[in-house]
Amino acid sequence: MSGTTQQPQYQSLYRACIKDAAVAGAELMQATLSRALRELPGTAARVSDVVDRNLLLEAAGVLKEQQQALTGAFPQALLAEFAQAIAGDRGSSLSFDSLQLLGDEQLQENADLVHGARELEAAVRPQLEKLEATLAAAGLTPAGGMHRHPLRPEVYVRSIYRLARQSPVSPAVRRRWLRYLPPLMAEELAQSYAAMAQRLQPAAAASQEDGLVGMDDGVPQEARDQATQLTIRELRKLLSAQSADDANESVVIFSESDFSHTVPSALEMVQDMRKVDQLLLQLRQRQAAMPGRGRDSLESFREALRQEAKRPSQALGLEVVHLMVDNLSADPRLLPGVRGIVRDLEPALLRLALVDPRFFSDREHPARQVLEQITQRSLAWSSADDPGFGTFMDVLQQATDALLDAGGTGPESFEIALHALQEAWDEAQPRGRRNRERAVRALMRAEQRNLLAERLARQILERPDAASAPPEALAFLTGPWAQVMAQARLADTTGAEDPWGYGWVVQTVLWSVQPPLAARVAAHQRTLVARIDEGLSSIDHLPADTDRWQNLLSALRDLALSTATGSALRPADHEPPPERVNTWLAPLEMHESGFVPDSAIPLGAPASQPDTLPPQELEVGAYVDLQGDGWERWQLTWASPHGLLFMFTHASGSTRSMTRRKLNGMLGQGSLRLVSAHPVVDGALDAVARAAWRNSSSL
């Protein structure tokens, strides 16, 4: 997370502000469109170019036609962009990896988007700064820094972009909407920011009283942007390993790599051991002659490599690496020791950028994988004092030292380091790997059985003789007994429709608890009790819960018989049935997967209740903090194919699993909070791309 300590009660208030901001989107858009329809004709009259003037008038005319539809759809667009911003902006068109896929029209639209965001931000800056100061004071600074909060002007402009993309309008009209609408939103958005800051002020005051201090990553975004003159077009050419100046020459990959020169000759020399000394001498000479070798500072090393760059694409590559490392070194989610390792790797990455532009475009490049493995694995610990982090850092430091000592500039040295790291980490946690494999097997088995049980439960409820059955009897049949029937079918290899004849229990129970039918099956009560015991034991049902179900069903049968014969016996007292949950796991499955049970579901509720997906759309690989006795760091390492079950793994190798319902509940209560939904390296490169967008829009 960020450097703040986030409080659940403040998070709830913040989420309410975000939700209300989305709901207020209709009024915001209505006011914006009304202002646009008043002002755009006058703006068009001042445009000297007749084509641009007519296109702006056309955009205003279409805006008037679409006014009602745009107003009604804007809250949903806002909500979608808010959710995307909370999840880490990976769906944004401003991501580093998407640049190669953008056409010229999309490039221009994104440049208009960035330009509109800058104009809107400039117009609301006083109110925005007050809101951001309040968020920081309340300890609500998001992961990645204050400039990442979901209410920022860029998100509002992206909502306009989303709406424009969904509307049946021409690209020319869409671009003018993006260019002219954002600034017209400023007045109402400024009022909204002021109201939210006022609403969050008590939380900020309470946080300050508790000694909480809002922290950003310490580096102003504008200062970072000024450190680069990258533009999007240049960045896209770099990703294609070609710049405008390189158009007439092919880029020679690894032409300056130590390994590309040395390894072939080494293969020949090892055949003659007398030449080993000669080989070592050549290696030392090459390393000593490398650019920047022996310099006292990282800045002088960078300058030496800039002098070594012979093509614009090489200079751009050096700049991207430098900015990427800067972003990673400022990421508050990385512990100080890890940030130091990343900074130590910068010289090797800079040397690589000179000769191998594939680093930027190939996600599987060994150097990018090394950087990603280091940063992602480090998120498993929230403190340097956590158990296991010291061992992790020892392995990391050794591999880093070996990589730097090798002095290679090609991908081979990074590939060796990657294999060494993976082997060391795998050897350090064999128990954790076995635990995960065992837990996944248990959860896969449970999900398969639960899905089949859910289908069988629906079939039971659709039976004509179930319509008048007591809800307690239906709860048994659609709960544990549906699990019994599902387990029997999964274990059966004969293809029988009703293996073990457990379907007989369904009819017998339904008839035995209804007065008009109870007499027909009264003689089978002893057999029924035995079959229920047998079935529940097949799924390792707890004996105490089995006894409670048996007592409840016996009382229902006695009541039905007494009612049918007119004796009208008072129902016998009995223990309540076991709490019923939507997804059931056997005790062994719960133990093997560290299952966290759901809360109880009322007996009268249907067997299956729809669950919404987690708000952040958690993906496998995401890190979260879970609250127990304190906050602990876990990683989402597995999600079942049908999204029914989720498994988290701790750095110690232990596992914890839960249903989607439980996950949603913990998110809503603030007892589960997202740390990182996507690779840290991707986020650092996306920040480079955003800087390039900003530079492009200012040209």
Side-chain angles (χ1 to χ4, degrees), residues 435-453 483 486-487 490-491 583-586 588-590 592-595 620 637-647 655-659:
N435 285 348
R436 288 194 301 273
E437 291 171 353
R438 184 167 58 248
V440 167
R441 286 195 298 269
L443 293 173
M444 286 288 288
R445 182 170 62 244
E447 182 185 57
Q448 190 177 13
R449 186 186 61 251
N450 272 278
L451 288 171
L452 179 54
Q483 296 283 339
Q487 178 64 30
L490 292 175
T583 302
W584 183 85
L585 272 72
L588 181 60
E589 293 167 341
M590 296 179 69
E592 290 181 340
S593 65
F595 186 69
V620 171
T637 51
W638 180 83
S640 65
H642 296 275
L644 184 66
L645 296 165
F646 297 83
M647 187 181 78
T655 59
R656 184 176 295 182
S657 63
M658 63 188 72
T659 65

Side-chain angles (χ1 to χ4, degrees), residues 454-467 471 474-475 477-478 506 510 580 605-608:
E454 184 178 314
R455 180 161 60 85
L456 293 171
R458 287 196 299 268
Q459 293 174 1
I460 291 171
L461 292 175
E462 291 169 358
R463 291 173 59 109
D465 52 2
L474 291 177
L477 293 174
T478 59
V506 175
L510 288 174
R580 184 176 139 236
S608 176

Side-chain angles (χ1 to χ4, degrees), residues 237-310:
K237 290 169 185 173
L238 172 63
L239 290 171
S240 302
Q242 181 179 5
S243 72
D245 297 295
D246 298 331
N248 296 323
E249 60 175 289
S250 60
V251 176
V252 181
I253 308 299
F254 314 138
S255 62
E256 300 167 49
S257 168
D258 286 345
F259 281 13
S260 65
H261 288 294
T262 306
V263 171
S265 59
L267 293 175
E268 298 174 4
M269 288 186 179
V270 293
Q271 299 174 16
D272 186 351
M273 295 304 294
R274 291 171 298 179
K275 294 183 178 180
V276 169
D277 290 341
Q278 179 185 349
L279 171 60
L280 291 175
L281 177 62
Q282 290 179 358
L283 277 171
R284 292 192 187 99
Q285 289 172 341
R286 286 192 178 279
Q287 292 175 9
M290 286 178 59
R293 204 62 165 166
R295 304 283 180 152
D296 295 330
S297 71
L298 184 57
E299 184 52 47
S300 61
F301 181 78
R302 294 190 194 112
E303 183 57 34
L305 289 186
R306 291 189 194 104
Q307 297 299 322
E308 190 71 16
K310 297 180 175 62

Side-chain angles (χ1 to χ4, degrees), residues 202-218:
S207 289
Q208 289 176 330
E209 289 177 4
D210 292 338
L212 302 177
V213 180
M215 295 175 61
D216 202 344
D217 53 22

Side-chain angles (χ1 to χ4, degrees), residues 371-666:
L371 204 56
E372 186 165 302
Q373 288 291 319
I374 290 172
T375 54
Q376 284 303 108
R377 285 179 180 265
S378 76
L379 293 179
W381 295 273
S382 57
S383 168
D385 297 327
D386 289 345
F389 182 72
T391 303
F392 169 81
M393 284 299 297
D394 288 343
V395 171
L396 193 54
Q397 191 65 62
Q398 291 173 17
T400 303
D401 290 344
L403 177 61
L404 297 177
D405 289 343
T409 61
E412 296 90 347
S413 54
F414 285 95
E415 190 166 2
I416 293 170
L418 179 63
H419 288 317
L421 285 171
Q422 289 175 333
E423 288 178 5
W425 286 329
D426 288 344
E427 290 175 3
Q429 284 194 330
R431 185 177 67 86
R433 184 170 61 254
R434 290 194 298 270
N435 285 348
R436 288 194 301 273
E437 291 171 353
R438 184 167 58 248
V440 167
R441 286 195 298 269
L443 293 173
M444 286 288 288
R445 182 170 62 244
E447 182 185 57
Q448 190 177 13
R449 186 186 61 251
N450 272 278
L451 288 171
L452 179 54
E454 184 178 314
R455 180 161 60 85
L456 293 171
R458 287 196 299 268
Q459 293 174 1
I460 291 171
L461 292 175
E462 291 169 358
R463 291 173 59 109
D465 52 2
S468 301
E472 296 89 346
L474 291 177
F476 168 74
L477 293 174
T478 59
W481 199 252
Q483 296 283 339
V484 169
M485 297 174 67
Q487 178 64 30
R489 292 197 184 188
L490 292 175
D492 179 62
T493 58
T494 66
E497 183 176 348
D498 182 20
W500 299 97
Y502 289 141
W504 174 84
V505 172
V506 175
Q507 177 176 300
T508 306
V509 167
L510 288 174
W511 287 18
S512 69
V513 297
Q514 298 183 65
L517 304 171
R520 301 186 189 183
V521 293
H524 302 304
Q525 288 198 25
R526 184 172 298 177
T527 303
L528 178 62
V529 169
R531 295 304 307 276
I532 290 176
D533 279 342
E534 171 193 308
L536 293 179
S537 67
S538 73
I539 60 170
D540 297 327
H541 203 256
L542 293 176
D545 286 343
T546 297
D547 290 344
R548 290 164 69 186
W549 280 118
Q550 289 280 31
N551 291 336
L552 174 62
L553 293 174
S554 176
L556 291 173
R557 291 195 298 269
D558 291 345
L559 178 61
L561 282 172
S562 66
T563 302
T565 59
S567 55
L569 294 176
R570 185 179 68 84
D573 293 332
H574 56 78
E575 289 186 80
E579 292 183 342
R580 184 176 139 236
V581 294
N582 204 42
T583 302
W584 183 85
L585 272 72
L588 181 60
E589 293 167 341
M590 296 179 69
H591 174 73
E592 290 181 340
S593 65
F595 186 69
V596 182
D598 286 356
S599 57
I601 299 173
L603 286 178
S608 176
Q609 296 182 1
D611 296 318
T612 57
L613 286 173
Q616 280 95 355
E617 292 285 354
L618 291 177
E619 298 177 359
V620 171
Y623 281 92
V624 301
D625 282 338
L626 296 177
Q627 189 176 35
D629 294 335
W631 288 99
E632 289 186 335
R633 180 67 50 81
W634 296 75
Q635 184 182 26
L636 178 60
T637 51
W638 180 83
S640 65
H642 296 275
L644 184 66
L645 296 165
F646 297 83
M647 187 181 78
F648 297 86
T649 302
H650 190 264
S652 64
S654 59
T655 59
R656 184 176 295 182
S657 63
M658 63 188 72
T659 65
R660 185 192 302 168
R661 180 189 299 275
K662 184 68 175 180
L663 178 59
N664 277 323
M666 294 183 70

